[in-house]
Amino acid sequence: VDLHRRAALAIEILYAENLQPHIELLARHYDLGDDAEKAIHYLLLAGQQARAVYLNQEARLHYERVLKRLEALEATESNLKQRLEALHALGEIQTMLDNLEEAEAYLRQVITLATELDLPPRQRVHYILSLCQFYGSTGDISAQVEQCERGMTLIADINAPVELVALTTYLATAYANRGDWRSAISRVGTIIDILPTLPYSGHLIDTWFYAVLWCRLTKQPERGFNLIDPVIDEALRRRDFWSAGQLHLLPKLFLCETVGDGQAAFATINEALRFAEITGDKKTIRGCWYWLGVYHSWMYGNLDEAERYATITLEDRSNLYRPSSYVFASTVLGLVHYCRHDWGQALEWLERSFGLAKSDGLLVDGVRRGIVGLAWTYTMLDRKAEGLALLAKIAREEELHIESWPTVA
């Protein structure tokens, strides 16, 4: 133990002018040397370093070691803030690694601890935004709305434009996932003009998707490209490859689809996949598989490839925590069988997709396409009354006409 302390002290003295290359070694020596205070300090720095280069498993081990060390110490304010940092990092790391149950547990502990510490409102909202993003990706609409409303209350009386825009976006996400696109896009219309004036922030990644969708629905794709391309460039300049992957996967992809550039759409998905592999982001890798299946089927009619990617998604057992993945993959398989005129299999998969969507309250665009496919499948099976009823339901909700709105601002 004493030798490890001496080694750590020697490193600090010898490399005092530049400790950065030796942070992980210092963390290890002070941890083995049983110097809790110094060990926690350097373990946190080692975790930050590992996350910066997307060494997610290494970062996870450092932060878990911080929590273990803190368990033996008095719950001072300083120690609780260190615990908060470790919990938040672990929540985001586990989200990226697609360990979603663990991620949710960590992120909820963060909210509780931030409240107990009575942190400033903006800082607390930053933690809430992480949880909002988590619930948005897992499709837990009620939990997402609850956290958004909590965040809105916290910043009601302060100037916090980035936080306000991010929370507005997550509320729009909840409306969209419930199929209420008018409310979703109307909310985005209230923030679209101020977006270019805001500083770069990872909290705005989902906002850019809805900004692009707003441009798509208002027939302004060029404005969408002008909004998103500088943000992607800035993400790359900062080597924020996670954000670059997110920005390619949906915002840029939707714009390419809007202008009918299928080749650019595939290139965009593959760019997102490349960044996801660099960062070890399993959630985004799965998203890329789904969209590759979608575009192979809906844009190019490559049914075998569409079936392959959808099957990969369905076979991934971690999707049990992300029901939307099953909904979308089932939709793709149903439409593949529809295109093959295999009405029995089309019916099975599309009814499964529709049932899952209804149980989760999920009525986003991909689900709507599945419902239309199901309606036509009923028609092919001489169940025309059921098919017409489904189409009429969609028409009543104006979902089929959303793409031709003259304006939603």
Side-chain angles (χ1 to χ4, degrees), residues 192-234:
I192 193 75
D193 289 330
I194 68 169
L195 267 177
T197 70
L198 298 177
Y200 180 88
S201 171
H203 290 306
L204 296 178
I205 296 305
D206 288 336
T207 300
W208 292 111
F209 164 63
Y210 277 92
V212 160
L213 188 58
W214 186 92
C215 293
R216 170 177 170 167
L217 296 177
T218 55
K219 312 302 182 187
Q220 301 179 64
E222 285 306 314
R223 183 177 183 183
F225 282 113
N226 290 336
L227 281 172
I228 200 68
D229 284 341
V231 184
I232 292 175
D233 290 342
E234 181 63 17

mmCIF file of all heavy atoms in Angstrom, residues 192-234:
data_model
loop_
_atom_site.group_PDB
_atom_site.id
_atom_site.type_symbol
_atom_site.label_atom_id
_atom_site.label_comp_id
_atom_site.label_asym_id
_atom_site.label_seq_id
_atom_site.Cartn_x
_atom_site.Cartn_y
_atom_site.Cartn_z
ATOM 1 N N ILE A 192 -38.137 27.608 -33.778
ATOM 2 C CA ILE A 192 -37.338 27.410 -34.989
ATOM 3 C C ILE A 192 -36.457 28.609 -35.304
ATOM 4 O O ILE A 192 -35.311 28.465 -35.750
ATOM 5 C CB ILE A 192 -38.259 27.069 -36.184
ATOM 6 C CG1 ILE A 192 -37.436 26.547 -37.362
ATOM 7 C CG2 ILE A 192 -39.108 28.261 -36.601
ATOM 8 C CD1 ILE A 192 -36.947 25.158 -37.209
ATOM 9 N N ASP A 193 -36.949 29.832 -35.068
ATOM 10 C CA ASP A 193 -36.188 31.024 -35.463
ATOM 11 C C ASP A 193 -35.015 31.331 -34.533
ATOM 12 O O ASP A 193 -34.058 31.984 -34.947
ATOM 13 C CB ASP A 193 -37.122 32.240 -35.536
ATOM 14 C CG ASP A 193 -38.070 32.156 -36.720
ATOM 15 O OD1 ASP A 193 -37.685 31.546 -37.735
ATOM 16 O OD2 ASP A 193 -39.198 32.686 -36.623
ATOM 17 N N ILE A 194 -35.087 30.856 -33.288
ATOM 18 C CA ILE A 194 -33.994 31.172 -32.361
ATOM 19 C C ILE A 194 -32.906 30.109 -32.363
ATOM 20 O O ILE A 194 -31.817 30.326 -31.820
ATOM 21 C CB ILE A 194 -34.505 31.383 -30.918
ATOM 22 C CG1 ILE A 194 -35.027 30.071 -30.308
ATOM 23 C CG2 ILE A 194 -35.572 32.458 -30.866
ATOM 24 C CD1 ILE A 194 -35.299 30.179 -28.816
ATOM 25 N N LEU A 195 -33.169 28.959 -32.997
ATOM 26 C CA LEU A 195 -32.187 27.876 -32.973
ATOM 27 C C LEU A 195 -30.807 28.298 -33.470
ATOM 28 O O LEU A 195 -29.799 27.989 -32.817
ATOM 29 C CB LEU A 195 -32.696 26.692 -33.793
ATOM 30 C CG LEU A 195 -33.459 25.613 -33.036
ATOM 31 C CD1 LEU A 195 -33.958 24.551 -33.999
ATOM 32 C CD2 LEU A 195 -32.598 24.992 -31.960
ATOM 33 N N PRO A 196 -30.692 28.986 -34.607
ATOM 34 C CA PRO A 196 -29.352 29.345 -35.098
ATOM 35 C C PRO A 196 -28.590 30.292 -34.181
ATOM 36 O O PRO A 196 -27.369 30.438 -34.327
ATOM 37 C CB PRO A 196 -29.645 30.014 -36.451
ATOM 38 C CG PRO A 196 -30.990 29.522 -36.851
ATOM 39 C CD PRO A 196 -31.743 29.380 -35.567
ATOM 40 N N THR A 197 -29.274 30.938 -33.247
ATOM 41 C CA THR A 197 -28.610 31.890 -32.353
ATOM 42 C C THR A 197 -28.055 31.220 -31.101
ATOM 43 O O THR A 197 -27.320 31.861 -30.348
ATOM 44 C CB THR A 197 -29.588 33.000 -31.922
ATOM 45 O OG1 THR A 197 -30.586 32.445 -31.033
ATOM 46 C CG2 THR A 197 -30.280 33.614 -33.120
ATOM 47 N N LEU A 198 -28.402 29.953 -30.883
ATOM 48 C CA LEU A 198 -28.002 29.277 -29.646
ATOM 49 C C LEU A 198 -26.607 28.665 -29.780
ATOM 50 O O LEU A 198 -26.205 28.266 -30.870
ATOM 51 C CB LEU A 198 -29.010 28.182 -29.300
ATOM 52 C CG LEU A 198 -30.443 28.638 -29.017
ATOM 53 C CD1 LEU A 198 -31.340 27.434 -28.752
ATOM 54 C CD2 LEU A 198 -30.480 29.598 -27.833
ATOM 55 N N PRO A 199 -25.877 28.566 -28.670
ATOM 56 C CA PRO A 199 -24.563 27.918 -28.715
ATOM 57 C C PRO A 199 -24.698 26.416 -28.947
ATOM 58 O O PRO A 199 -25.757 25.831 -28.690
ATOM 59 C CB PRO A 199 -23.984 28.211 -27.321
ATOM 60 C CG PRO A 199 -25.188 28.395 -26.441
ATOM 61 C CD PRO A 199 -26.220 29.045 -27.305
ATOM 62 N N TYR A 200 -23.641 25.813 -29.428
ATOM 63 C CA TYR A 200 -23.630 24.363 -29.633
ATOM 64 C C TYR A 200 -23.848 23.659 -28.300
ATOM 65 O O TYR A 200 -23.240 23.995 -27.291
ATOM 66 C CB TYR A 200 -22.290 23.933 -30.223
ATOM 67 C CG TYR A 200 -22.175 22.452 -30.475
ATOM 68 C CD1 TYR A 200 -22.598 21.908 -31.679
ATOM 69 C CD2 TYR A 200 -21.658 21.599 -29.510
ATOM 70 C CE1 TYR A 200 -22.502 20.541 -31.929
ATOM 71 C CE2 TYR A 200 -21.558 20.235 -29.741
ATOM 72 C CZ TYR A 200 -21.980 19.714 -30.945
ATOM 73 O OH TYR A 200 -21.888 18.364 -31.182
ATOM 74 N N SER A 201 -24.721 22.666 -28.301
ATOM 75 C CA SER A 201 -25.006 21.926 -27.069
ATOM 76 C C SER A 201 -25.489 20.527 -27.409
ATOM 77 O O SER A 201 -26.342 20.349 -28.285
ATOM 78 C CB SER A 201 -26.081 22.647 -26.237
ATOM 79 O OG SER A 201 -26.502 21.832 -25.147
ATOM 80 N N GLY A 202 -24.938 19.550 -26.695
ATOM 81 C CA GLY A 202 -25.400 18.178 -26.861
ATOM 82 C C GLY A 202 -26.851 18.002 -26.475
ATOM 83 O O GLY A 202 -27.517 17.061 -26.928
ATOM 84 N N HIS A 203 -27.367 18.906 -25.652
ATOM 85 C CA HIS A 203 -28.773 18.810 -25.240
ATOM 86 C C HIS A 203 -29.731 19.148 -26.381
ATOM 87 O O HIS A 203 -30.942 18.895 -26.267
ATOM 88 C CB HIS A 203 -29.044 19.755 -24.070
ATOM 89 C CG HIS A 203 -28.402 19.338 -22.789
ATOM 90 N ND1 HIS A 203 -28.581 18.081 -22.245
ATOM 91 C CD2 HIS A 203 -27.579 19.990 -21.931
ATOM 92 C CE1 HIS A 203 -27.901 17.983 -21.115
ATOM 93 N NE2 HIS A 203 -27.278 19.127 -20.914
ATOM 94 N N LEU A 204 -29.216 19.706 -27.462
ATOM 95 C CA LEU A 204 -30.082 20.129 -28.564
ATOM 96 C C LEU A 204 -30.099 19.135 -29.723
ATOM 97 O O LEU A 204 -30.684 19.419 -30.773
ATOM 98 C CB LEU A 204 -29.651 21.509 -29.075
ATOM 99 C CG LEU A 204 -29.790 22.661 -28.078
ATOM 100 C CD1 LEU A 204 -29.272 23.955 -28.695
ATOM 101 C CD2 LEU A 204 -31.243 22.834 -27.635
ATOM 102 N N ILE A 205 -29.492 17.979 -29.553
ATOM 103 C CA ILE A 205 -29.421 17.017 -30.652
ATOM 104 C C ILE A 205 -30.813 16.634 -31.141
ATOM 105 O O ILE A 205 -31.102 16.637 -32.340
ATOM 106 C CB ILE A 205 -28.635 15.762 -30.228
ATOM 107 C CG1 ILE A 205 -27.180 16.133 -29.914
ATOM 108 C CG2 ILE A 205 -28.690 14.699 -31.320
ATOM 109 C CD1 ILE A 205 -26.448 16.842 -31.024
ATOM 110 N N ASP A 206 -31.713 16.294 -30.220
ATOM 111 C CA ASP A 206 -33.069 15.933 -30.632
ATOM 112 C C ASP A 206 -33.814 17.137 -31.205
ATOM 113 O O ASP A 206 -34.690 16.988 -32.058
ATOM 114 C CB ASP A 206 -33.849 15.354 -29.454
ATOM 115 C CG ASP A 206 -33.372 13.961 -29.091
ATOM 116 O OD1 ASP A 206 -32.808 13.290 -29.961
ATOM 117 O OD2 ASP A 206 -33.558 13.549 -27.930
ATOM 118 N N THR A 207 -33.467 18.334 -30.744
ATOM 119 C CA THR A 207 -34.105 19.541 -31.263
ATOM 120 C C THR A 207 -33.852 19.695 -32.760
ATOM 121 O O THR A 207 -34.749 20.082 -33.522
ATOM 122 C CB THR A 207 -33.583 20.788 -30.523
ATOM 123 O OG1 THR A 207 -33.871 20.660 -29.135
ATOM 124 C CG2 THR A 207 -34.225 22.058 -31.057
ATOM 125 N N TRP A 208 -32.645 19.386 -33.191
ATOM 126 C CA TRP A 208 -32.321 19.539 -34.609
ATOM 127 C C TRP A 208 -33.151 18.593 -35.464
ATOM 128 O O TRP A 208 -33.513 18.925 -36.599
ATOM 129 C CB TRP A 208 -30.828 19.324 -34.842
ATOM 130 C CG TRP A 208 -30.008 20.423 -34.238
ATOM 131 C CD1 TRP A 208 -29.171 20.339 -33.164
ATOM 132 C CD2 TRP A 208 -29.994 21.796 -34.643
ATOM 133 N NE1 TRP A 208 -28.631 21.560 -32.881
ATOM 134 C CE2 TRP A 208 -29.115 22.478 -33.773
ATOM 135 C CE3 TRP A 208 -30.621 22.502 -35.649
ATOM 136 C CZ2 TRP A 208 -28.862 23.833 -33.888
ATOM 137 C CZ3 TRP A 208 -30.378 23.865 -35.768
ATOM 138 C CH2 TRP A 208 -29.506 24.511 -34.897
ATOM 139 N N PHE A 209 -33.457 17.408 -34.945
ATOM 140 C CA PHE A 209 -34.324 16.501 -35.703
ATOM 141 C C PHE A 209 -35.689 17.134 -35.931
ATOM 142 O O PHE A 209 -36.217 17.130 -37.057
ATOM 143 C CB PHE A 209 -34.472 15.168 -34.969
ATOM 144 C CG PHE A 209 -35.624 14.342 -35.484
ATOM 145 C CD1 PHE A 209 -35.632 13.879 -36.792
ATOM 146 C CD2 PHE A 209 -36.704 14.052 -34.679
ATOM 147 C CE1 PHE A 209 -36.691 13.131 -37.279
ATOM 148 C CE2 PHE A 209 -37.776 13.312 -35.154
ATOM 149 C CZ PHE A 209 -37.769 12.847 -36.460
ATOM 150 N N TYR A 210 -36.282 17.694 -34.885
ATOM 151 C CA TYR A 210 -37.611 18.274 -35.036
ATOM 152 C C TYR A 210 -37.579 19.567 -35.848
ATOM 153 O O TYR A 210 -38.540 19.901 -36.545
ATOM 154 C CB TYR A 210 -38.265 18.468 -33.667
ATOM 155 C CG TYR A 210 -38.893 17.186 -33.201
ATOM 156 C CD1 TYR A 210 -38.176 16.294 -32.419
ATOM 157 C CD2 TYR A 210 -40.170 16.831 -33.613
ATOM 158 C CE1 TYR A 210 -38.720 15.084 -32.036
ATOM 159 C CE2 TYR A 210 -40.726 15.624 -33.237
ATOM 160 C CZ TYR A 210 -40.001 14.750 -32.448
ATOM 161 O OH TYR A 210 -40.545 13.544 -32.090
ATOM 162 N N ALA A 211 -36.472 20.287 -35.784
ATOM 163 C CA ALA A 211 -36.334 21.468 -36.636
ATOM 164 C C ALA A 211 -36.331 21.070 -38.109
ATOM 165 O O ALA A 211 -36.977 21.709 -38.953
ATOM 166 C CB ALA A 211 -35.050 22.217 -36.287
ATOM 167 N N VAL A 212 -35.604 19.998 -38.404
ATOM 168 C CA VAL A 212 -35.563 19.492 -39.775
ATOM 169 C C VAL A 212 -36.937 18.986 -40.201
ATOM 170 O O VAL A 212 -37.386 19.208 -41.340
ATOM 171 C CB VAL A 212 -34.504 18.380 -39.885
ATOM 172 C CG1 VAL A 212 -34.735 17.508 -41.109
ATOM 173 C CG2 VAL A 212 -33.104 18.989 -39.927
ATOM 174 N N LEU A 213 -37.631 18.297 -39.294
ATOM 175 C CA LEU A 213 -38.969 17.805 -39.610
ATOM 176 C C LEU A 213 -39.917 18.974 -39.888
ATOM 177 O O LEU A 213 -40.751 18.914 -40.799
ATOM 178 C CB LEU A 213 -39.496 16.961 -38.448
ATOM 179 C CG LEU A 213 -40.808 16.211 -38.686
ATOM 180 C CD1 LEU A 213 -40.689 15.278 -39.884
ATOM 181 C CD2 LEU A 213 -41.200 15.434 -37.433
ATOM 182 N N TRP A 214 -39.786 20.036 -39.114
ATOM 183 C CA TRP A 214 -40.582 21.245 -39.347
ATOM 184 C C TRP A 214 -40.309 21.784 -40.749
ATOM 185 O O TRP A 214 -41.226 22.147 -41.479
ATOM 186 C CB TRP A 214 -40.240 22.289 -38.282
ATOM 187 C CG TRP A 214 -41.089 23.524 -38.319
ATOM 188 C CD1 TRP A 214 -42.238 23.756 -37.628
ATOM 189 C CD2 TRP A 214 -40.838 24.710 -39.095
ATOM 190 N NE1 TRP A 214 -42.722 25.011 -37.912
ATOM 191 C CE2 TRP A 214 -41.886 25.615 -38.812
ATOM 192 C CE3 TRP A 214 -39.853 25.095 -39.993
ATOM 193 C CZ2 TRP A 214 -41.966 26.881 -39.397
ATOM 194 C CZ3 TRP A 214 -39.926 26.348 -40.585
ATOM 195 C CH2 TRP A 214 -40.972 27.222 -40.278
ATOM 196 N N CYS A 215 -39.029 21.828 -41.134
ATOM 197 C CA CYS A 215 -38.678 22.305 -42.477
ATOM 198 C C CYS A 215 -39.252 21.380 -43.549
ATOM 199 O O CYS A 215 -39.694 21.845 -44.603
ATOM 200 C CB CYS A 215 -37.158 22.396 -42.628
ATOM 201 S SG CYS A 215 -36.392 23.660 -41.592
ATOM 202 N N ARG A 216 -39.248 20.101 -43.269
ATOM 203 C CA ARG A 216 -39.804 19.136 -44.220
ATOM 204 C C ARG A 216 -41.297 19.366 -44.412
ATOM 205 O O ARG A 216 -41.798 19.401 -45.540
ATOM 206 C CB ARG A 216 -39.537 17.717 -43.724
ATOM 207 C CG ARG A 216 -40.257 16.619 -44.486
ATOM 208 C CD ARG A 216 -39.856 15.260 -43.957
ATOM 209 N NE ARG A 216 -40.691 14.195 -44.487
ATOM 210 C CZ ARG A 216 -40.381 12.920 -44.376
ATOM 211 N NH1 ARG A 216 -39.271 12.556 -43.783
ATOM 212 N NH2 ARG A 216 -41.184 11.989 -44.868
ATOM 213 N N LEU A 217 -42.017 19.541 -43.318
ATOM 214 C CA LEU A 217 -43.467 19.677 -43.397
ATOM 215 C C LEU A 217 -43.897 21.032 -43.941
ATOM 216 O O LEU A 217 -45.001 21.177 -44.460
ATOM 217 C CB LEU A 217 -44.090 19.447 -42.022
ATOM 218 C CG LEU A 217 -43.896 18.035 -41.453
ATOM 219 C CD1 LEU A 217 -44.480 17.933 -40.060
ATOM 220 C CD2 LEU A 217 -44.515 16.998 -42.365
ATOM 221 N N THR A 218 -43.047 22.021 -43.828
ATOM 222 C CA THR A 218 -43.366 23.338 -44.387
ATOM 223 C C THR A 218 -42.740 23.532 -45.768
ATOM 224 O O THR A 218 -42.698 24.649 -46.284
ATOM 225 C CB THR A 218 -42.872 24.458 -43.443
ATOM 226 O OG1 THR A 218 -41.478 24.287 -43.196
ATOM 227 C CG2 THR A 218 -43.631 24.440 -42.134
ATOM 228 N N LYS A 219 -42.261 22.402 -46.334
ATOM 229 C CA LYS A 219 -41.705 22.417 -47.696
ATOM 230 C C LYS A 219 -40.505 23.345 -47.817
ATOM 231 O O LYS A 219 -40.344 24.079 -48.792
ATOM 232 C CB LYS A 219 -42.779 22.831 -48.719
ATOM 233 C CG LYS A 219 -44.112 22.109 -48.588
ATOM 234 C CD LYS A 219 -43.966 20.609 -48.696
ATOM 235 C CE LYS A 219 -45.335 19.925 -48.609
ATOM 236 N NZ LYS A 219 -45.238 18.458 -48.552
ATOM 237 N N GLN A 220 -39.628 23.319 -46.801
ATOM 238 C CA GLN A 220 -38.420 24.148 -46.830
ATOM 239 C C GLN A 220 -37.174 23.282 -46.603
ATOM 240 O O GLN A 220 -36.424 23.506 -45.660
ATOM 241 C CB GLN A 220 -38.487 25.233 -45.762
ATOM 242 C CG GLN A 220 -39.672 26.182 -45.870
ATOM 243 C CD GLN A 220 -39.647 27.204 -44.753
ATOM 244 O OE1 GLN A 220 -38.749 28.033 -44.647
ATOM 245 N NE2 GLN A 220 -40.654 27.152 -43.885
ATOM 246 N N PRO A 221 -36.944 22.268 -47.439
ATOM 247 C CA PRO A 221 -35.798 21.382 -47.190
ATOM 248 C C PRO A 221 -34.459 22.103 -47.214
ATOM 249 O O PRO A 221 -33.552 21.749 -46.444
ATOM 250 C CB PRO A 221 -35.901 20.343 -48.319
ATOM 251 C CG PRO A 221 -36.736 20.992 -49.375
ATOM 252 C CD PRO A 221 -37.705 21.864 -48.631
ATOM 253 N N GLU A 222 -34.318 23.119 -48.077
ATOM 254 C CA GLU A 222 -33.038 23.830 -48.129
ATOM 255 C C GLU A 222 -32.745 24.526 -46.801
ATOM 256 O O GLU A 222 -31.602 24.589 -46.353
ATOM 257 C CB GLU A 222 -33.045 24.842 -49.274
ATOM 258 C CG GLU A 222 -32.887 24.212 -50.653
ATOM 259 C CD GLU A 222 -31.639 23.337 -50.725
ATOM 260 O OE1 GLU A 222 -30.573 23.790 -50.265
ATOM 261 O OE2 GLU A 222 -31.738 22.211 -51.226
ATOM 262 N N ARG A 223 -33.798 25.066 -46.189
ATOM 263 C CA ARG A 223 -33.603 25.676 -44.874
ATOM 264 C C ARG A 223 -33.138 24.618 -43.879
ATOM 265 O O ARG A 223 -32.298 24.887 -43.021
ATOM 266 C CB ARG A 223 -34.902 26.319 -44.385
ATOM 267 C CG ARG A 223 -34.748 27.037 -43.058
ATOM 268 C CD ARG A 223 -36.033 27.725 -42.620
ATOM 269 N NE ARG A 223 -35.845 28.455 -41.376
ATOM 270 C CZ ARG A 223 -36.810 29.102 -40.738
ATOM 271 N NH1 ARG A 223 -38.045 29.119 -41.230
ATOM 272 N NH2 ARG A 223 -36.554 29.748 -39.611
ATOM 273 N N GLY A 224 -33.673 23.409 -44.013
ATOM 274 C CA GLY A 224 -33.246 22.318 -43.136
ATOM 275 C C GLY A 224 -31.772 22.013 -43.292
ATOM 276 O O GLY A 224 -31.041 21.882 -42.302
ATOM 277 N N PHE A 225 -31.307 21.898 -44.546
ATOM 278 C CA PHE A 225 -29.879 21.648 -44.780
ATOM 279 C C PHE A 225 -29.035 22.795 -44.226
ATOM 280 O O PHE A 225 -27.966 22.566 -43.637
ATOM 281 C CB PHE A 225 -29.604 21.476 -46.275
ATOM 282 C CG PHE A 225 -29.985 20.134 -46.820
ATOM 283 C CD1 PHE A 225 -31.025 20.010 -47.730
ATOM 284 C CD2 PHE A 225 -29.308 18.988 -46.428
ATOM 285 C CE1 PHE A 225 -31.373 18.762 -48.245
ATOM 286 C CE2 PHE A 225 -29.649 17.740 -46.928
ATOM 287 C CZ PHE A 225 -30.691 17.626 -47.847
ATOM 288 N N ASN A 226 -29.501 24.018 -44.409
ATOM 289 C CA ASN A 226 -28.751 25.176 -43.909
ATOM 290 C C ASN A 226 -28.684 25.205 -42.387
ATOM 291 O O ASN A 226 -27.736 25.739 -41.805
ATOM 292 C CB ASN A 226 -29.386 26.473 -44.420
ATOM 293 C CG ASN A 226 -29.188 26.665 -45.912
ATOM 294 O OD1 ASN A 226 -28.251 26.119 -46.497
ATOM 295 N ND2 ASN A 226 -30.081 27.412 -46.543
ATOM 296 N N LEU A 227 -29.687 24.633 -41.741
ATOM 297 C CA LEU A 227 -29.678 24.551 -40.275
ATOM 298 C C LEU A 227 -28.749 23.456 -39.782
ATOM 299 O O LEU A 227 -27.954 23.657 -38.856
ATOM 300 C CB LEU A 227 -31.089 24.286 -39.758
ATOM 301 C CG LEU A 227 -32.068 25.451 -39.665
ATOM 302 C CD1 LEU A 227 -33.464 24.943 -39.313
ATOM 303 C CD2 LEU A 227 -31.606 26.466 -38.611
ATOM 304 N N ILE A 228 -28.839 22.269 -40.398
ATOM 305 C CA ILE A 228 -28.186 21.092 -39.824
ATOM 306 C C ILE A 228 -26.723 20.954 -40.218
ATOM 307 O O ILE A 228 -25.890 20.491 -39.417
ATOM 308 C CB ILE A 228 -28.969 19.817 -40.211
ATOM 309 C CG1 ILE A 228 -28.631 18.662 -39.266
ATOM 310 C CG2 ILE A 228 -28.708 19.411 -41.646
ATOM 311 C CD1 ILE A 228 -29.116 18.848 -37.873
ATOM 312 N N ASP A 229 -26.347 21.356 -41.437
ATOM 313 C CA ASP A 229 -24.966 21.136 -41.886
ATOM 314 C C ASP A 229 -23.934 21.859 -41.014
ATOM 315 O O ASP A 229 -22.892 21.267 -40.671
ATOM 316 C CB ASP A 229 -24.808 21.541 -43.350
ATOM 317 C CG ASP A 229 -25.417 20.501 -44.296
ATOM 318 O OD1 ASP A 229 -25.612 19.347 -43.860
ATOM 319 O OD2 ASP A 229 -25.716 20.848 -45.457
ATOM 320 N N PRO A 230 -24.158 23.119 -40.621
ATOM 321 C CA PRO A 230 -23.176 23.767 -39.732
ATOM 322 C C PRO A 230 -23.064 23.083 -38.367
ATOM 323 O O PRO A 230 -21.978 23.072 -37.771
ATOM 324 C CB PRO A 230 -23.722 25.196 -39.584
ATOM 325 C CG PRO A 230 -24.604 25.406 -40.766
ATOM 326 C CD PRO A 230 -25.208 24.076 -41.051
ATOM 327 N N VAL A 231 -24.155 22.513 -37.881
ATOM 328 C CA VAL A 231 -24.113 21.823 -36.586
ATOM 329 C C VAL A 231 -23.287 20.547 -36.703
ATOM 330 O O VAL A 231 -22.491 20.217 -35.813
ATOM 331 C CB VAL A 231 -25.539 21.516 -36.085
ATOM 332 C CG1 VAL A 231 -25.484 20.885 -34.698
ATOM 333 C CG2 VAL A 231 -26.382 22.775 -36.050
ATOM 334 N N ILE A 232 -23.473 19.812 -37.800
ATOM 335 C CA ILE A 232 -22.663 18.609 -38.025
ATOM 336 C C ILE A 232 -21.189 18.980 -38.121
ATOM 337 O O ILE A 232 -20.320 18.308 -37.530
ATOM 338 C CB ILE A 232 -23.129 17.879 -39.300
ATOM 339 C CG1 ILE A 232 -24.521 17.288 -39.087
ATOM 340 C CG2 ILE A 232 -22.137 16.785 -39.684
ATOM 341 C CD1 ILE A 232 -25.128 16.654 -40.325
ATOM 342 N N ASP A 233 -20.895 20.045 -38.847
ATOM 343 C CA ASP A 233 -19.497 20.492 -38.978
ATOM 344 C C ASP A 233 -18.901 20.828 -37.611
ATOM 345 O O ASP A 233 -17.744 20.492 -37.322
ATOM 346 C CB ASP A 233 -19.412 21.714 -39.889
ATOM 347 C CG ASP A 233 -19.709 21.378 -41.347
ATOM 348 O OD1 ASP A 233 -19.643 20.191 -41.698
ATOM 349 O OD2 ASP A 233 -20.001 22.312 -42.113
ATOM 350 N N GLU A 234 -19.690 21.480 -36.763
ATOM 351 C CA GLU A 234 -19.195 21.844 -35.437
ATOM 352 C C GLU A 234 -18.991 20.608 -34.568
ATOM 353 O O GLU A 234 -18.016 20.517 -33.806
ATOM 354 C CB GLU A 234 -20.173 22.811 -34.763
ATOM 355 C CG GLU A 234 -19.760 23.283 -33.380
ATOM 356 C CD GLU A 234 -18.461 24.086 -33.360
ATOM 357 O OE1 GLU A 234 -18.024 24.561 -34.438
ATOM 358 O OE2 GLU A 234 -17.881 24.230 -32.268
#
